[in-house]
Amino acid sequence: DAMVIQNPRYQVTQFGKPVTLSCSQTLNHNVMYWYQQKSSQAPKLLFHYYDKDFNNEADTPDNFQSRRPNTSFCFLDIRSPGLGDAAMYLCATSIRGTNTEAFFGQGTRLTVV
Amino acid sequence: AQKITQTQPGMFVQEKEAVTLDCTYDTSDQSYGLFWYKQPSSGEMIFLIYQGSYDEQNATEGRYSLNFQKARKSANLVISASQLGDSAMYFCAMGTETSYDKVIFGPGTSLSVIP
């Protein structure tokens, strides 16, 4: 059974048109992450939540926002997608601490046209 | 600041042979965890193995083992008896005591298993 679910798997959006990616989890983990991964690169952390506490990475553009209305759901909003925002977006969850792995969803591949 | 280095952009291995993927890390924290993930071409990130900084024994999970050398700050992944399905990107990652919510990734190594 899938534990971290991302919808949709593939998203095509127009340049400048707001888009929302969603992530849900059945693990009841207190930490949720959003990563951006461009082709042949490592995942880059955009931000994460510990419960409702939002932690933005210093180099995450303002164009990227996130919401976590409850433990199970987390959304990534891209306010005005540019061509450079085309990437795989990975959602992950974990329990706070250094000894637990992050569980990843299957990712959403975003294309900007 | 924490950093992960993987110096092998690409590796080839013959089917059924063993292969070692290198990972070195840098952190000033005393407590940290090291992870290896596999990412096939489908894009999903699959957790393989974990090593804690205070673990005295090297971690093993089936065909995967982690060669942890704390003094050298290295955490190499060893895959024994390679299979064609092992062809994928492999990422070394780390979470630390002071940034325990942040899991950072190395640049990855692309492994190709040759029949």
Side-chain angles (χ1 to χ4, degrees):
Chain A
D1 290 341
M3 296 178 287
V4 181
I5 302 166
Q6 291 188 244
N7 282 306
R9 289 289 308 279
Y10 301 91
Q11 175 75 57
V12 180
T13 191
Q14 287 183 323
F15 182 94
K17 184 175 181 181
V19 65
T20 295
L21 310 182
S22 73
C23 177
S24 64
Q25 56 140 334
T26 59
L27 299 165
N28 205 35
H29 285 173
N30 50 17
V31 186
M32 291 189 78
Y33 309 82
W34 279 105
Y35 287 87
Q36 178 193 63
Q37 187 179 25
K38 296 189 175 180
S39 183
S40 302
Q41 295 184 21
K44 178 181 177 302
L45 182 63
L46 295 173
F47 24 61
H48 72 275
Y49 280 91
Y50 170 58
D51 288 333
K52 283 195 171 292
D53 292 337
F54 176 70
N55 298 271
N56 198 29
E57 292 301 297
D59 57 354
T60 298
D62 292 340
N63 197 27
F64 292 87
Q65 304 287 319
S66 186
R67 297 168 283 135
R68 189 181 186 186
N70 53 52
T71 301
S72 301
F73 287 88
C74 196
F75 300 97
L76 170 63
D77 301 309
I78 308 176
R79 294 194 295 190
S80 182
L83 297 178
D85 297 328
M88 174 76 90
Y89 290 87
L90 295 166
C91 174
T93 74
S94 73
I95 301 171
R96 170 168 276 194
T98 61
N99 62 345
T100 55
E101 71 271 24
F103 289 80
F104 282 81
Q106 290 187 295
T108 294
R109 191 171 294 280
L110 179 68
T111 300
V112 181
V113 298
Chain B
Q2 288 80 20
K3 186 178 179 181
I4 300 276
T5 302
Q6 295 179 254
T7 57
Q8 306 153 313
M11 291 279 288
F12 291 89
V13 65
Q14 203 78 37
E15 193 178 6
K16 300 180 185 176
E17 296 292 314
V19 63
T20 298
L21 307 183
D22 294 341
C23 172
T24 58
Y25 59 91
D26 189 22
T27 178
S28 55
D29 286 345
Q30 296 303 307
S31 178
Y32 50 88
L34 297 156
F35 309 85
W36 276 92
Y37 285 87
K38 171 184 177 182
Q39 189 177 41
S41 56
S42 58
E44 61 196 294
M45 197 72 79
I46 302 166
F47 167 72
L48 295 177
I49 196 167
Y50 164 81
Q51 179 83 43
S53 57
Y54 292 115
D55 294 341
E56 295 187 352
Q57 292 199 335
N58 287 341
T60 60
E61 288 286 347
R63 295 188 297 112
Y64 305 108
S65 60
L66 201 152
N67 183 0
F68 182 47
Q69 298 188 43
K70 192 171 182 177
R72 298 177 63 182
K73 292 189 173 180
S74 75
N76 298 339
L77 176 70
V78 180
I79 305 174
S80 62
S82 298
Q83 302 171 357
L84 295 178
D86 294 335
S87 295
M89 282 291 290
Y90 288 81
F91 292 97
C92 181
M94 177 170 66
T96 70
E97 181 179 27
T98 58
S99 59
Y100 34 52
D101 291 340
K102 291 175 61 169
V103 177
I104 62 167
F105 286 79
T109 295
S110 176
L111 178 68
S112 298
V113 181
I114 305 166

